[in-house]
Amino acid sequence: MKHWLGLTLALSAVLPVASFADTNEQLSETASVEALREHREQEKRWGLAAVVRQASIPYSQGAGVDDSSVMSFVPMMFYRGDKFYINGTETGYQLYKKDEFSANAVLRMHFIDIPAIYQNSIGGDTGMGGIQLRYQWDDNVYSFAEVVTDPDAHFQANLEVGAKYEVGDWYFHPSATLINKTSDYNTHYYGFNQEHIGGGSDIKVGGKLRYHVTSNLYLLGGAYATRFDRNVRHSDTVDNNWQSEFYAGFGFFNDSSKTERSSISTKPYLRVAHGWATPSNMGDILAGETVKDEYNNQLTSVFYGHPLTDNLFGIPLDIYLTPGFVTHWQSEVQDLSAELVMAIKAYYTVNWPVKWRLGVAEGLSYVSNVTYIERTELADKGYEPSKLLNYIDLSLDVNIGDLFNQRALDNVWLGYSMHHRSAIFEQASQFGRIKGGSNYNTVYLQFDF
């Protein structure tokens, strides 16, 4: 089964984020409200989390396999703008809004809960995307109707009613969903295309929660139970009437216990980089022991940095949402391919003897074609590659204005970054249960504006 990611992306939501407004007497009332609203949305509407998901396996299993559940590590991002949002395992874009009604394009991860030993050969999880019509009944209660499909046109039509409540340090989000599935969907996902299964409707109930521990640290959790439709329950491939799933983890979000800030100091940026592939792993690269790729495979990337906050746990960290587009150039062993990235990046600035910064980003990466350096490493280990992988960026840069004592260049940074794709050591079903990936050493210029 193929991965599907349109990195307008990302990856069921554990945290909503509110909007904010204020005034500033030093400016005109209209201008100040709009300016501060923009700053506060950037400061508040973001999050980064790590969650373990455990789900029961509903399928009949072959000889020698008796797994009752499967576990996966799921990194998550959160961001909410005026129209675009990333909410854990779901992303979306608001196409239309009037009063309490909105129409949205949505894309969410679709887990396939089979024994872990089969997930690489079958291809791991996939995605469901489509159109959602949503209505907000009051400050807490909502409902939506949607039609979504996977890349092979296996459709669902879902109806959900839910509510979101915040009480002190606690946040609760119960929901109930009617999942209407076509015969093609059931045959594919429950019959594995070996048994024809008619369509039907599942019922899914449960909820998620968060608890504010301290400062920017939150604990996350959730639990759901799904009752399968009659046709699935009576199929030869499924031997359970119910499926359960549980989530537990932690995340970093804005500190809801503190007074809202009127502004943040971070500025948007544009970063242009060029890099060279290496078969060396991350540890070797950090130790300065990089081996050159014999075919000299290269990439060029452009990243935009959208400012979120300039403080985390009281530490001066510049945090950005950073989407990127990467071109992997054609060589004698690979075709031209594109890579889409969505990540959250943090910078820590040191002002001695000039300004320089350490940076780290965590996110998701999707390639149109798996690159040579990645394909060969995974083949050597006996894995089927995955187009969707975890993304890490480690960087070190220096301010050009300080370096040459030219104040006109204070907004320009010269740096090195490691462009890293990997699959979290076989712990993530969404990445196909593989171990390995690829690394590129890149140099870049970054422009603040």
Side-chain angles (χ1 to χ4, degrees):
M1 299 177 185
K2 298 179 181 178
H3 289 297
W4 190 36
L5 184 72
L7 266 176
T8 41
L9 173 122
L11 264 119
S12 3
V14 224
L15 180 67
V17 200
S19 61
F20 301 86
D22 200 351
T23 58
N24 187 331
E25 296 178 357
Q26 296 176 347
L27 303 173
S28 70
E29 181 177 353
T30 301
S32 64
V33 169
E34 291 305 314
L36 293 183
R37 180 180 293 120
E38 178 181 4
H39 280 300
R40 286 186 169 170
E41 287 175 351
Q42 292 170 351
E43 154 49 36
K44 295 292 184 180
R45 297 186 165 202
W46 73 279
L48 190 64
V51 173
V52 174
R53 175 183 183 270
Q54 180 172 317
S56 61
I57 297 173
Y59 303 101
S60 305
Q61 300 177 34
V65 180
D66 191 25
D67 294 345
S68 60
S69 65
V70 63
M71 186 175 294
S72 184
F73 180 81
V74 186
M76 293 182 175
M77 289 179 292
F78 299 83
Y79 170 76
R80 183 171 292 275
D82 290 337
K83 294 184 178 294
F84 174 70
Y85 71 87
I86 304 170
N87 207 351
T89 56
E90 179 179 310
T91 187
Y93 186 84
Q94 187 180 94
L95 303 172
Y96 173 81
K97 180 173 173 51
K98 184 175 182 180
D99 300 326
E100 288 77 23
F101 172 80
S102 63
N104 311 293
V106 297
L107 174 63
R108 70 173 59 90
M109 184 170 293
H110 182 259
F111 292 97
I112 304 168
D113 296 313
I114 59 178
I117 61 172
Y118 297 138
Q119 286 180 331
N120 182 243
S121 59
I122 289 179
D125 305 316
T126 184
M128 303 290 288
I131 299 297
Q132 178 186 96
L133 304 179
R134 187 181 185 97
Y135 190 83
Q136 193 72 35
W137 295 94
D138 57 29
D139 290 342
N140 305 112
V141 180
Y142 70 90
S143 62
F144 68 70
E146 64 182 15
V147 176
V148 293
T149 178
D150 71 2
D152 298 315
H154 302 117
F155 283 87
Q156 287 181 347
N158 303 320
L159 300 173
E160 179 170 305
V161 176
K164 302 175 182 179
Y165 300 99
E166 193 157 6
V167 181
D169 289 329
W170 289 92
Y171 160 81
F172 304 93
H173 181 181
S175 63
T177 310
L178 182 67
I179 305 171
N180 304 284
K181 304 161 299 173
T182 63
S183 176
D184 286 345
Y185 179 99
N186 277 348
T187 297
H188 181 71
Y189 285 106
Y190 295 109
F192 293 104
N193 296 319
Q194 303 299 311
E195 176 188 2
H196 176 80
I197 304 177
S201 298
D202 297 345
I203 298 176
K204 181 177 181 178
V205 295
K208 47 208 170 193
L209 58 83
R210 76 167 193 259
Y211 176 71
H212 182 206
V213 180
T214 183
S215 186
N216 299 101
L217 178 63
Y218 290 77
L219 298 180
L220 311 176
Y224 294 90
T226 301
R227 171 74 171 179
F228 294 126
D229 71 73
R230 183 178 182 277
N231 289 324
V232 169
R233 295 199 308 269
H234 289 83
S235 66
D236 293 333
T237 52
V238 172
D239 59 8
N240 288 288
N241 296 333
W242 292 83
Q243 183 183 29
S244 61
E245 55 184 305
F246 302 92
Y247 298 83
F250 65 94
F252 305 114
F253 302 92
N254 62 289
D255 185 349
S256 60
S257 66
K258 288 190 175 181
T259 304
E260 302 156 17
R261 300 170 56 204
S262 61
S263 65
I264 57 176
S265 61
T266 49
K267 298 178 181 179
Y269 69 74
L270 189 68
R271 189 182 90 172
V272 181
H274 189 82
W276 296 262
T278 172
S280 303
N281 61 39
M282 181 182 287
D284 291 336
I285 295 172
L286 294 176
E289 301 173 356
T290 300
V291 176
K292 183 180 179 181
D293 171 31
E294 61 178 316
Y295 295 103
N296 196 30
N297 289 293
Q298 300 178 36
L299 63 76
T300 300
S301 65
V302 178
F303 280 80
Y304 166 71
H306 180 71
L308 300 173
T309 185
D310 57 7
N311 187 283
L312 185 66
F313 292 109
I315 300 171
L317 291 173
D318 295 330
I319 311 291
Y320 293 87
L321 179 73
T322 178
F325 179 81
V326 186
T327 299
H328 291 268
W329 299 105
Q330 184 177 3
S331 71
E332 59 181 294
V333 292
Q334 70 179 30
D335 295 328
L336 184 75
S337 64
E339 178 184 351
L340 298 173
V341 175
M342 184 66 76
I344 289 179
K345 181 152 190 179
Y347 287 100
Y348 181 75
T349 302
V350 178
N351 195 7
W352 182 88
V354 296
K355 288 195 295 290
W356 54 278
R357 302 182 303 184
L358 293 168
V360 59
E362 161 64 28
L364 291 167
S365 165
Y366 181 84
V367 292
S368 58
N369 296 296
V370 177
T371 59
Y372 168 81
I373 198 75
E374 199 168 287
R375 187 173 64 248
T376 53
E377 180 189 351
L378 296 174
D380 290 343
K381 296 177 180 178
Y383 294 112
E384 288 292 326
S386 172
K387 292 182 177 180
L388 175 67
L389 287 179
N390 193 61
Y391 171 79
I392 293 176
D393 174 279
L394 302 177
S395 66
L396 175 66
D397 58 25
V398 62
N399 185 265
I400 297 298
D402 276 8
L403 196 62
F404 296 102
N405 197 26
Q406 295 291 325
R407 299 284 66 85
L409 298 176
D410 279 350
N411 65 326
V412 184
W413 302 79
L414 173 66
Y416 159 85
S417 71
M418 183 196 308
H419 184 102
H420 174 82
R421 277 170 44 94
S422 64
I424 317 181
F425 304 104
E426 299 182 320
Q427 299 305 305
S429 61
Q430 67 273 22
F431 304 142
R433 297 279 178 190
I434 62 179
K435 180 181 180 180
S438 60
N439 291 299
Y440 288 77
N441 291 309
T442 78
V443 293
Y444 65 82
L445 282 174
Q446 185 161 308
F447 305 89
D448 298 336
F449 59 90

